[in-house]
């Protein structure tokens, strides 16, 4: 028997619209997860969300090797607004990058922007892999949406296109910048690569009035740690 408390039911992101009574089909990967990993079958409950229609309690009505159908029955949580916090960061080595994608999703980042800087470890990112990691992290952390994933952008282009009314908190080590503080409303966090920002990049960044330099303390953090800590501090101060 599976517990009846919905909080214990598998929680899956789907792309389709969700409406009570309208069947939803699940792709092979989710079917496999439900049947092989979670050992669920026809009649068992699960939770579905799509970032638009809230979270629904559903039951499996059909399940085969590669596909399953379930039927949403009750709205468990209405769709709600989530923090509007973007994370722009220089892609790192694969494992570190994937850690940032997962943790940033758990911490509620609404948009992930790969930024190419002078000392970047890599120019390559795998958006499909980022999406898969973000989806799993959103399912697990009970977020109501997935972060959007932007195309990689060079630092000058990021700053040129940045909305002037959205403060961009740039984490800069080894400066007298004030400790990070959360602005009210939409914001962004910018984290540099392993080698840090180059001096001419720092100089160029300072010319943008929406950019606020911030310190994460006296220790030099790895870039992935800085991304996680920066997001946590910004979200903690907003209660988000
Ligand atoms: N190699 C550089 C450190 C780069 S740390 C050096 O030795 O100086 C990688 C990124 O993490 C930085 O670009 C910055 O965005 C962030 N970061 C790390 N520690 C930080 C700190 N104490 N304060 C603010 N940002 C920090």
């Amino acid at each position: 028997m599976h517990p009846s408390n919905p909080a214990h039911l598998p929680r899956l992101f789907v792309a389709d619209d969700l409406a009570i009574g309208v069947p939803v089909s699940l792709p092979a990967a989710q079917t496999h997860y439900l049947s092989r990993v979670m050992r669920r079958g026809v009649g068992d409950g699960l939770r579905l969300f799509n970032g638009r229609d809230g979270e629904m309690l559903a039951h499996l009505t059909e399940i085969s090797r590669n596909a399953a159908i379930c039927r949403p029955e009750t709205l468990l949580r209405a769709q709600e607004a989530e923090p509007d916090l973007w994370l722009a960061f220089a892609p790192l080595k694969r494992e570190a990058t994937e850690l940032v994608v997962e943790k940033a999703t758990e911490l509620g980042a609404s948009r992930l922007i790969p930024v190419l800087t002078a000392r970047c470890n890599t120019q390559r990112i795998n958006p499909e892999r980022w999406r898969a990691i973000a989806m799993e992290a959103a399912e697990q952390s009970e977020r109501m949406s997935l972060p959007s994933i932007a195309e990689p952008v060079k630092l000058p282009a990021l700053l040129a296109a940045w909305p002037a009314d959205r403060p961009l908190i740039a984490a800069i080590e080894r400066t007298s910048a004030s400790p990070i503080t959360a602005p009210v409303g939409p914001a962004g966090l910018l984290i540099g690569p392993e080698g840090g920002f180059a001096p001419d990049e720092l100089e160029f960044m300072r010319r943008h009035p929406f950019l606020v330099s911030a310190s994460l303390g006296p220790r030099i953090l790895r870039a992935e740690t800085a991304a996680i800590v920066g997001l946590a501090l910004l979200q903690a101060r907003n209660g988000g």
Side-chain angles (χ1 to χ4, degrees), residues 83-92 96-97 99-105 107-115 130 143 147-151 153 158 162 166-171 180 187-192 216 223-232 234-235:
D84 186 356
L85 179 57
W86 296 356
L87 173 66
F89 72 106
L92 305 160
T97 300
L99 181 78
V100 172
V101 172
E102 179 181 290
K103 300 307 165 200
T105 306
L107 287 161
S110 56
R111 186 165 177 74
L112 305 178
I113 310 170
V115 185
W130 283 36
R143 266 184 76 153
S148 59
I149 293 168
E151 294 285 319
V153 58
L158 174 85
W162 193 265
R166 176 183 290 267
L168 177 58
I169 320 292
I180 192 163
L189 174 66
L190 174 62
I191 302 289
L216 296 173
E224 61 271 31
T225 315
I228 294 166
V229 166
L231 285 174
L234 292 174
Q235 296 289 48

Side-chain angles (χ1 to χ4, degrees), residues 79-149:
Q79 192 63 37
E80 59 209 38
E82 296 191 316
D84 186 356
L85 179 57
W86 296 356
L87 173 66
F89 72 106
L92 305 160
K93 290 185 193 123
R94 192 174 56 83
E95 276 184 15
T97 300
E98 294 186 0
L99 181 78
V100 172
V101 172
E102 179 181 290
K103 300 307 165 200
T105 306
E106 288 176 44
L107 287 161
S110 56
R111 186 165 177 74
L112 305 178
I113 310 170
V115 185
L116 308 178
T117 68
R119 297 180 182 159
C120 248
N121 292 74
T122 177
Q123 309 267 320
R124 283 197 337 213
I125 76 144
N126 179 345
E128 279 317 304
R129 179 90 188 116
W130 283 36
R131 250 182 284 283
I133 293 169
M135 188 166 122
E136 240 180 67
E139 289 172 346
Q140 176 271 329
S141 62
E142 308 211 342
R143 266 184 76 153
M144 295 298 282
S145 67
L146 304 192
S148 59
I149 293 168

Side-chain angles (χ1 to χ4, degrees), residues 171-174 190-197 214-223 226:
I172 316 279
E173 71 287 3
R174 304 183 200 279
L190 174 62
I191 302 289
E194 233 171 71
F197 293 106
S215 166
L216 296 173
R219 290 163 299 277
I220 305 303
L221 306 176
R222 281 181 173 271

Side-chain angles (χ1 to χ4, degrees), residues 12-19 22-27 30 48-54 56 68-70 72 79 135:
L12 298 179
F13 176 84
V14 293
D16 291 0
D17 289 341
L18 289 174
V22 180
V24 177
S25 55
L26 301 176
Q30 288 178 332
L48 302 176
F49 69 109
N50 64 3
R52 305 184 298 277
D53 301 319
M56 303 260 184
I69 298 180
C70 53
Q79 192 63 37
M135 188 166 122

